[in-house]
């Protein structure tokens, strides 16, 4: 994690990699912005094949994956060829899935270019694509050789994309790092403005937390669940908005607000912590019209969440800034009240 470092990236590719065959999977937009900084240096090392995939979630499909397989096969890519996922979370998930499955797996490097990808999706090995029946249902675990984050690329992100990444950063502060939370309290506005020095600090702290959690629980048996703070609520909002009117990170910001409401109403959270948490969350603007939402449907969605076991909703909550707790929902009324306050 560093600044102004894209040109140094090719120099750290390990010697055992066959640099005669490097595929950079990316999109037109990212390539136009930063392609040369990366590819010029790679060309000095070896042969580079650029593979362009479409923008957005539609790139995360088995059809698109098959097209990439075809290009790799036509260019005779082998088992020790390298795939570089160069882009946001969409590119990382899709190119990572290709790397996990092409010839039963080839080396992968993640070169994330969105805040969300730098703090979350590039770390932890979850790669995959969507199915017509749901998001992220087809996938694998595939860890990259390394993740390389240059925070200066974040300066060209749309404000909404920065907000989405910040949702995940704030989440890390809540569940495990009160110092990160304090840093956010004093630097959130600069982060929202895309200040690269501030973003550097946030990416460093967040990537360390994500890596640490995943190291302890790679396959999501227990601890990894804490990364879901705000997400059970947020997923319900995303689903009820048909994944169109609200972005994931924005839904997580509202989801964390709802989680704080629920915890306070359940008598599990002190007023001071509640106020402090809400104050930070409300400083991130989330343009969203919730007037069409139905509370009973949101609750129903929560019971359908893939993290639910035996029809019981298990929630990741906090009992202090930087300290998580896991609770099973005993009282649906309280859940409904929390949604009502949020809406
Ligand atoms: N694998 C995981 O653990 C994990 C975790 C969280 C999210 N995800 C997945 O990540 C995806 C979302 O990722 P995302 O939020 O990065 O979205 P994204 O990849 O769609 O990127 C968002 C937008 O930003 C643009 N962009 C990327 N880098 C840019 C830059 N430096 N400057 C300007 N524009 C840039 C992209 O072209 C795109 O239009 C979802 O598919 C989600 O399921 C995966
Ligand atoms: Zn998330």
């Amino acid at each position: 994690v560093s600044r102004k470092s894209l040109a140094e990236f090719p120099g750290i590719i390990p010697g055992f990699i066959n640099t005669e065959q490097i595929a950079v999977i990316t999109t037109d937009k990212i390539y136009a912005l930063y392609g040369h900084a990366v590819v010029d240096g790679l060309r000095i090392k070896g042969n580079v094949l650029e593979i362009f995939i479409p923008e957005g979630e539609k790139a995360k499909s088995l059809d698109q994956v098959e097209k990439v397989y075809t290009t790799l096969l036509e260019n005779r890519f082998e088992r020790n060829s390298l795939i570089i996922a160069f882009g946001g979370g969409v590119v990382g998930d899709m190119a990572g899935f290709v790397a996990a499955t092409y010839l039963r797996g080839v080396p992968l490097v993640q070169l994330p270019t969105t805040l969300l990808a730098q703090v979350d999706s590039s770390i932890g090995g979850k790669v995959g694509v969507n199915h017509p029946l749901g998001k992220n249902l087809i996938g694998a675990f595939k860890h990259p050789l390394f993740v390389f984050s240059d925070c200066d690329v974040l300066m060209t992100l749309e404000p909404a994309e920065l907000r989405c990444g910040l949702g995940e950063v704030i989440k890390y502060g809540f569940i495990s790092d009160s110092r990160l939370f304090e840093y956010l309290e004093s630097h959130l506005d600069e982060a929202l403005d895309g200040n690269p020095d501030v973003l550097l600090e946030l990416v460093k702290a967040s990537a360390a937390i994500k890596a640490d959690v995943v190291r302890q629980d790679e396959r999501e048996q227990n601890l990894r669940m804490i990364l879901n703070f705000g997400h059970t609520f947020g997923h319900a909002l995303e689903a009820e908005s048909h994944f169109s009117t609200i972005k994931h990170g924005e839904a997580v910001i509202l989801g964390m607000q709802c989680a704080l409401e629920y915890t306070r109403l359940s008598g599990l959270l002190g007023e001071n912590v509640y106020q402090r948490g809400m104050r930070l969350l409300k400083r991130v603007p989330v343009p969203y019209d919730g007037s069409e939402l139905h509370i009973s449907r949101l609750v129903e969605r929560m019971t359908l969440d893939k993290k639910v076991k035996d029809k019981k909703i298990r929630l990741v909550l906090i009992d202090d800034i930087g300290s998580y707790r896991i609770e099973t929902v005993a009282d649906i009324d309280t859940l409904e009240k929390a949604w009502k306050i949020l809406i």
Side-chain angles (χ1 to χ4, degrees):
V1 182
S2 49
R3 286 198 52 192
K4 298 191 168 112
S5 48
L6 273 189
E8 292 157 30
F9 156 74
I12 59 173
I13 293 174
F16 62 84
I17 294 295
N18 172 13
T19 51
E20 289 312 302
Q21 288 180 317
I22 302 172
V24 175
I25 302 183
T26 188
T27 67
D28 290 337
K29 182 171 164 186
I30 294 154
Y31 194 84
L33 285 165
Y34 304 108
H36 285 291
V38 169
V39 172
D40 291 355
L42 281 175
R43 287 237 153 84
I44 296 170
K45 279 187 91 89
N47 293 317
V48 182
L49 174 70
E50 291 109 336
I51 301 179
F52 295 94
I53 63 172
E55 275 279 315
E57 286 295 316
K58 62 182 176 300
K60 282 175 58 173
S61 73
L62 288 173
D63 275 359
Q64 290 295 331
V65 166
E66 187 172 350
K67 285 187 182 155
V68 177
Y69 292 150
T70 305
T71 308
L72 293 171
L73 288 166
E74 284 171 354
N75 287 276
R76 300 180 189 283
F77 268 60
E78 294 170 3
R79 280 293 280 283
N80 60 347
S81 308
L82 178 66
I83 288 185
I84 298 175
F86 179 37
V90 162
V91 172
D93 279 14
M94 191 273 202
F97 184 70
V98 170
T101 48
Y102 179 75
L103 302 180
R104 297 194 185 80
V106 295
L108 168 72
V109 165
Q110 290 277 5
L111 199 54
T113 63
T114 62
L115 182 58
L116 182 121
Q118 294 191 352
V119 300
D120 189 358
S121 60
S122 67
I123 306 159
K126 283 194 195 174
V127 295
V129 295
N130 303 323
H131 185 277
L133 294 182
K135 275 195 70 181
N136 295 327
L137 295 179
I138 312 298
F141 282 93
K142 172 77 183 176
H143 290 287
L145 297 172
F146 59 90
V147 180
F148 187 98
S149 292
D150 177 345
C151 295
D152 276 57
V153 306
L154 305 179
M155 288 164 76
T156 49
L157 280 180
E158 296 288 333
E161 302 300 343
L162 269 181
R163 287 202 292 272
C164 281
L166 280 170
E168 305 290 349
V169 174
I170 295 171
K171 173 191 81 179
Y172 294 125
F174 271 119
I175 56 172
S176 86
D177 190 346
S178 59
R179 281 178 50 195
L180 170 60
F181 196 91
E182 279 167 31
Y183 185 82
L184 282 162
E185 287 177 314
S186 50
H187 293 84
L188 185 73
D189 299 333
E190 290 152 284
L192 285 165
D193 281 343
N195 177 319
D197 284 320
V198 169
L199 292 171
L200 177 74
E201 294 307 317
L202 297 180
V203 175
K204 276 186 187 165
S206 303
I209 294 168
K210 173 114 194 221
D212 192 47
V213 170
V214 172
R215 188 180 298 123
Q216 293 176 61
D217 177 24
E218 185 193 358
R219 300 277 160 149
E220 204 159 26
Q221 305 296 309
N222 42 61
L223 187 70
R224 196 163 175 168
M225 177 188 175
I226 69 171
L227 301 173
N228 254 15
F229 177 59
H231 280 60
T232 311
F233 293 95
H235 286 154
L237 270 178
E238 279 182 285
E240 282 300 298
S241 318
H242 311 288
F243 296 94
S244 63
T245 48
I246 191 163
K247 288 174 178 289
H248 173 74
E250 296 176 324
V252 171
I253 290 167
L254 298 182
M256 289 188 283
Q257 293 181 19
C258 206
L260 291 187
E261 297 292 1
Y262 174 81
T263 323
R264 184 184 60 137
L265 290 170
S266 308
L268 300 171
L269 190 65
E271 186 66 20
N272 284 349
V273 180
Y274 166 81
Q275 292 291 351
R276 212 179 140 195
M278 284 305 237
R279 218 177 298 127
L280 184 69
L281 287 168
K282 294 208 163 163
R283 284 169 62 194
V284 186
V286 179
Y288 181 62
D289 173 13
S291 58
E292 302 281 296
L293 292 170
H294 296 280
I295 289 171
S296 56
R297 295 205 2 207
L298 288 161
V299 171
E300 176 68 17
R301 288 278 186 192
M302 290 176 80
T303 61
L304 296 174
D305 198 89
K306 65 181 169 189
K307 305 287 183 321
V308 170
K309 279 197 185 130
D310 314 326
K311 285 233 149 193
K312 290 210 171 70
I313 306 175
R314 288 215 302 160
L315 289 177
V316 184
L317 305 171
I318 56 157
D319 46 25
D320 200 350
I321 303 297
S323 165
Y324 70 87
R325 66 188 296 154
I326 294 172
E327 293 285 332
T328 302
V329 175
D331 176 13
I332 295 289
D333 281 356
T334 312
L335 206 54
E336 290 180 347
K337 276 187 201 141
W339 276 115
K340 198 165 178 188
I341 296 171
L342 181 85
I343 291 170

